[in-house]
Amino acid sequence: MSAHTDFVQASDKYAQGFTKGHLKAPPAKKLAIVTCMDARIDPAAHLGLQEGDAHIIRNAGGAAKDALRSLIISQRLLGTREIALFHHTDCGMLTFSSQHLHSILKSQTKVDPETIDKIDFLEFGDLEEAVKSDVKWLKENPLVLEETKVTGWVYEVETGKVRQVA
Amino acid sequence: MSAHTDFVQASDKYAQGFTKGHLKAPPAKKLAIVTCMDARIDPAAHLGLQEGDAHIIRNAGGAAKDALRSLIISQRLLGTREIALFHHTDCGMLTFSSQHLHSILKSQTKVDPETIDKIDFLEFGDLEEAVKSDVKWLKENPLVLEETKVTGWVYEVETGKVRQVA
């Protein structure tokens, strides 16, 4: 049984009590969240966000570089003016190197090794340093609006708490 | 007042009832969701997913290409074997062209125009066709595991419902 077979039933249940059909695209809080794809994280729940409040961009690690295309659209076309970037404890990105994943892909696929070697998986070695470095990168990026409020956070998967580190 | 000032309070409330600290990184449902960053979408809520169930990758549009780095990590290092890709009605990506956004960036920033012109914003012109095309791209991509179950969906921001289109 595939996981997606439950989607229609869950969605019908959600739709029965749905009162958000009037919302427009621009986020009410003018806020964009960047966080990890990690299955243990429910950003709306742990940050108290409702439908309509904020853009939520998620990728492996909560990497700022990987979020840039989305952030440009969020700011220039949909009016957000604040970015909160989260990484989290026990993140997979702390446990491997791009080189290691390149060698897995070379052994498991027929893709040309040069193409594989070009993929930067954006792993990191120190959690708080990675948050600070991503916040700095966003603040200095000329494609990000200069007036943007950028903050950096750690989410603790063990406790459900957040702490601000930048 | 910045939006992030409420995070610690919301997070403390969430942490008080927190019972998920034992969960490990690999998603229980071996499932990766790709969906849009749109503020109106709460994928966990509308798909009935709990913390620990699925990787959730979100970017402007729910673009497969932009999710590839994350999907490789999700599959090769964290064991997911199914991808469900969502786009949604009233998506911002239906309303502009990369060329239009390039000209906004050229007028609003000092970034070199050649660098700007290289950014593909991955907009689309037809919602269902874009879902089908992204699903096809994933199914044919040699960096995605061949045995992956890939499905494509539309989420309706007006009703809270989903429908499968691929």
Side-chain angles (χ1 to χ4, degrees), chain B:
Chain B
M1 183 77 104
S2 291
H4 77 268
T5 52
D6 299 330
F7 286 173
V8 173
Q9 205 181 337
S11 153
D12 281 346
K13 198 173 159 189
Y14 178 74
Q16 277 174 26
F18 193 69
T19 57
K20 314 287 175 72
H22 62 287
L23 293 172
K24 300 294 171 206
K29 291 188 187 290
K30 297 185 186 299
L31 170 68
I33 304 283
V34 179
T35 192
C36 187
M37 67 178 178
D38 192 286
R40 294 165 291 183
I41 303 175
D42 184 342
H46 84 74
L47 296 173
L49 296 169
Q50 302 296 317
E51 290 95 329
D53 281 349
H55 281 147
I56 301 185
I57 300 159
R58 300 182 64 174
N59 61 49
K65 277 180 197 165
D66 208 31
L68 185 61
R69 177 188 69 90
S70 299
L71 288 169
I72 293 171
I73 293 168
S74 176
Q75 296 199 320
R76 308 277 169 178
L77 300 179
L78 291 157
T80 62
R81 291 295 179 269
E82 183 171 355
I83 300 170
L85 178 129
F86 292 76
H87 291 180
H88 66 93
T89 55
D90 195 40
C91 186
M93 306 303 282
L94 290 156
T95 66
F96 75 99
S97 66
S98 281
Q99 232 175 351
H100 171 63
L101 193 40
H102 293 158
S103 62
I104 291 177
L105 291 173
K106 284 173 202 168
S107 71
Q108 294 182 353
T109 74
K110 287 170 188 159
V111 177
D112 147 46
E114 273 186 47
T115 305
I116 289 173
D117 282 336
K118 280 185 197 143
I119 310 175
D120 183 352
F121 284 103
L122 303 173
E123 72 276 19
F124 44 82
D126 181 290
L127 179 57
E128 296 200 6
E129 282 312 310
V131 173
K132 288 174 190 168
S133 150
D134 266 14
V135 166
K136 185 168 181 283
W137 186 85
L138 287 169
K139 284 184 175 171
E140 290 173 355
N141 195 306
L143 291 166
V144 173
L145 285 166
E146 212 180 324
E147 67 263 37
T148 311
K149 172 89 186 164
V150 188
T151 55
W153 302 75
V154 166
Y155 173 73
E156 299 177 352
V157 295
E158 300 83 5
T159 65
K161 288 193 182 181
V162 297
R163 60 176 194 272
Q164 188 170 358
V165 298

Side-chain angles (χ1 to χ4, degrees), chain A residues 33-97:
Chain A
I33 303 283
V34 178
T35 192
C36 187
M37 68 177 177
D38 192 287
R40 294 165 290 183
I41 302 175
D42 184 341
H46 83 75
L47 296 173
L49 297 168
Q50 302 296 316
E51 290 95 330
D53 281 349
H55 281 147
I56 301 186
I57 300 159
R58 300 182 64 174
N59 61 48
K65 277 181 195 162
D66 208 31
L68 185 61
R69 177 188 68 91
S70 299
L71 287 169
I72 293 170
I73 293 168
S74 175
Q75 296 199 320
R76 308 278 169 177
L77 300 179
L78 292 157
T80 63
R81 291 295 180 269
E82 184 172 355
I83 300 171
L85 178 130
F86 291 76
H87 291 181
H88 66 92
T89 54
D90 195 40
C91 186
M93 306 304 282
L94 291 156
T95 66
F96 75 99
S97 65

Side-chain angles (χ1 to χ4, degrees), chain A residues 27-153:
Chain A
K29 291 187 187 287
K30 298 185 186 300
L31 170 67
I33 303 283
V34 178
T35 192
C36 187
M37 68 177 177
D38 192 287
R40 294 165 290 183
I41 302 175
D42 184 341
H46 83 75
L47 296 173
L49 297 168
Q50 302 296 316
E51 290 95 330
D53 281 349
H55 281 147
I56 301 186
I57 300 159
R58 300 182 64 174
N59 61 48
K65 277 181 195 162
D66 208 31
L68 185 61
R69 177 188 68 91
S70 299
L71 287 169
I72 293 170
I73 293 168
S74 175
Q75 296 199 320
R76 308 278 169 177
L77 300 179
L78 292 157
T80 63
R81 291 295 180 269
E82 184 172 355
I83 300 171
L85 178 130
F86 291 76
H87 291 181
H88 66 92
T89 54
D90 195 40
C91 186
M93 306 304 282
L94 291 156
T95 66
F96 75 99
S97 65
S98 282
Q99 232 177 350
H100 171 63
L101 193 41
H102 293 158
S103 61
I104 291 176
L105 291 173
K106 284 174 201 168
S107 71
Q108 294 182 355
T109 74
K110 287 170 189 159
V111 177
D112 148 45
E114 272 187 48
T115 305
I116 289 173
D117 282 337
K118 279 185 199 144
I119 310 174
D120 183 352
F121 285 102
L122 303 174
E123 73 275 17
F124 43 82
D126 181 289
L127 179 57
E128 296 200 7
E129 282 312 309
V131 173
K132 288 174 190 167
S133 150
D134 267 13
V135 166
K136 184 168 181 282
W137 185 86
L138 287 169
K139 284 184 175 172
E140 290 173 356
N141 195 305
L143 291 166
V144 174
L145 285 167
E146 212 180 323
E147 67 264 36
T148 310
K149 171 91 186 164
V150 188
T151 54
W153 302 75

